[in-house]
Structures are given as C-alpha cells and as structure tokens.
Amino acid sequence: MSPVSPGTRVDPRRNGHAHLVVVHPPFASPLRPDERPSVMAHDPEAARAAVRSLSSVAGIRREEAPSRLGHPESPADRGELDVVRAAAWGSTVKVTDPALVEDGVLSSALEDEFRAQKKRHRDARIVAVCERDFGAAYLKILVAVPGAPDLTVEGFDELEVTGDLRVTLAAAGIDPGQLVDDDEDFTDHDEDFTDYDGLLHMLTGGALSVYADEERVESTFVVERNEEGEAGIGEVWFS
C-alpha cells in the first residue's frame, strides 16, 4: 500500500487507541483497584528512548514540552497517527501510540510490539492494550509477567482468554479477591469476569488510569514512521 498523505482524514466511524506499559523490577506492591498511584517525576529522556525503541518508528521529527497526562483522543487524520505520547515515571514507562491499534482480524501491530518489547526487557512486566471501534468494538490485552505464561484477552462482543488469569495474578502478587465483588467467587477463565480496568490498574501500578485533577505529566512526540509502520497504519486506519 502506498503511503497515505498527512492530511487524509480518518473515517470518523473509526475510533481507537493503544498503550504499551513496561514496568521494570524491583516491583512495588500492587495498588488496590481504587488506590491512586503516587505522583512521580517524569523523565523525558527515558520517554524519548522508549519511543525510539518502537518497531514502527524510524525517528522523532518533533518533541513537545511535557503536559498533563490525559485520555488519548482518536486520530482525526493521517498526521495525527504520527503523534506518540510517552511517560517515564521511575521504573515504569507508558507509551500511547495509535499505530499499535489492531483491527481484530488481520493486523498484528500490538502483538508484534509486545513480543519485541518482551525480548528487549526480559525481566519486566509488559502490558499492551488496544481498544477500537470501527462499527464493532474490539478489545485486546496482552500481559507478560515473569514467572507466568503470557495472558491474552481479546474479542468483539465476547472476550476470549488465553493463558491462566489466576496464575498471572499470583505471579504479580495480586489477590484475585480484590477484582471481584464480595459476594462473588473468582474462578479460572471466569466468563463473568469483567473488571479488566481494575486488572490493568493493578498490573501497571496505575499507569493507564487518568484522574480529573491529574498531576502526572507525559511527553508528546511527532514521529517518522518506517516502512513497516506506514504499511500497518494504512492497513488498519485507511483500508
């Protein structure tokens, strides 16, 4: 597929975002689902290095001053698909990159980056997640926790779990009981388990949670895509 020109509009019916979080050891005690993470200083240099490490990025064209952490907006045109946000707080790095969004059918950008980051950071906890709605909502969560097999949660109307949620939680030091109501039981591959926001909050130390009076900051980068990244963007967002 030929490169898409920067001003080309994204179909407004296509919405989505994707995150990658790498948490390096030593690991802090897991937060409770309702516990707010501490505010830590942002390291722009580490954020810059994380963006450069992405498989779809050939280089950084521009870097903006750090700004308050916020919810990602869905890209409106091809140019906005080159906007990558990254934060580095202590041992945690969080990247938000629309090029990691998958369509749930053919694309594998999120999974490919997840595997690449696993090889690069063998002792880290790695969480990758994308949510998109192109007329049908799709969710994909990938989790690597040392000491446990990888966990995958994905699907459209119904989510399919590959791996063992209980084993992943145990390896991360998370009490499964914190993720269910008091009057419910947690069982392996529980089809009724729906608190994936709580799961992500605990696994990432709150890196993916955003608060109304947010004090944490992140950096914004406009990147140059390589051939692989350009092709993936065209396939998912413009095909």
Side-chain angles (χ1 to χ4, degrees):
M1 178 179 288
S2 300
V4 179
S5 61
T8 304
R9 302 292 293 178
V10 172
D11 188 325
R13 294 170 294 183
R14 296 192 174 196
N15 299 280
H17 59 268
H19 305 286
L20 173 73
V21 179
V22 180
V23 183
H24 297 279
F27 305 117
S29 298
L31 297 178
R32 298 186 306 274
D34 61 349
E35 185 178 1
R36 185 166 178 163
S38 301
V39 176
M40 300 189 68
H42 167 58
D43 182 348
E45 184 175 348
R48 194 178 307 122
V51 171
R52 286 200 176 103
S53 79
L54 296 173
S55 303
S56 67
V57 172
I60 295 174
R61 294 204 304 261
R62 188 174 75 251
E63 178 177 349
E64 299 177 5
S67 58
R68 293 290 176 90
L69 181 68
H71 292 289
E73 296 182 359
S74 191
D77 59 34
R78 173 62 190 84
E80 291 186 3
L81 283 157
D82 287 336
V83 177
V84 179
R85 292 177 172 81
W89 305 305
S91 62
T92 299
V93 175
K94 179 191 74 74
V95 174
T96 301
D97 184 358
L100 296 179
V101 171
E102 293 187 5
D103 62 6
V105 182
L106 297 175
S107 60
S108 60
L110 189 77
E111 185 125 12
D112 293 345
E113 192 61 52
F114 174 76
R115 303 297 172 200
Q117 295 293 329
K118 271 188 61 180
K119 290 182 180 180
R120 187 173 288 112
H121 308 292
R122 297 183 182 276
D123 297 328
R125 292 179 187 168
I126 300 176
V127 175
V129 55
C130 78
E131 296 182 70
R132 72 98 169 128
D133 190 340
F134 290 4
Y138 173 74
L139 171 69
K140 186 168 187 177
I141 299 171
L142 301 167
V143 178
V145 173
D150 290 352
L151 179 73
T152 301
V153 180
E154 67 173 324
F156 291 87
D157 294 331
E158 296 184 3
L159 297 177
E160 179 180 344
V161 178
T162 303
D164 192 317
L165 183 56
R166 183 181 288 277
V167 171
T168 296
L169 293 173
I174 296 173
D175 176 6
Q178 292 184 301
L179 289 167
V180 296
D181 295 333
D182 293 339
D183 57 350
E184 295 181 354
D185 294 325
F186 184 95
T187 58
D188 294 334
H189 308 297
D190 190 342
E191 294 181 357
D192 295 326
F193 179 78
T194 58
D195 190 11
Y196 289 107
D197 287 338
L199 175 67
L200 292 170
H201 183 80
M202 298 183 79
L203 286 171
T204 65
L208 296 177
S209 302
V210 180
Y211 300 88
D213 56 346
E214 187 62 70
E215 297 180 44
R216 293 172 296 176
V217 301
E218 61 184 348
S219 293
T220 300
F221 303 87
V222 179
V223 303
E224 186 77 36
R225 299 293 183 185
N226 55 27
E227 185 176 350
E228 177 184 355
E230 191 72 46
I233 285 172
E235 177 184 35
V236 171
W237 291 96
F238 297 99
S239 63

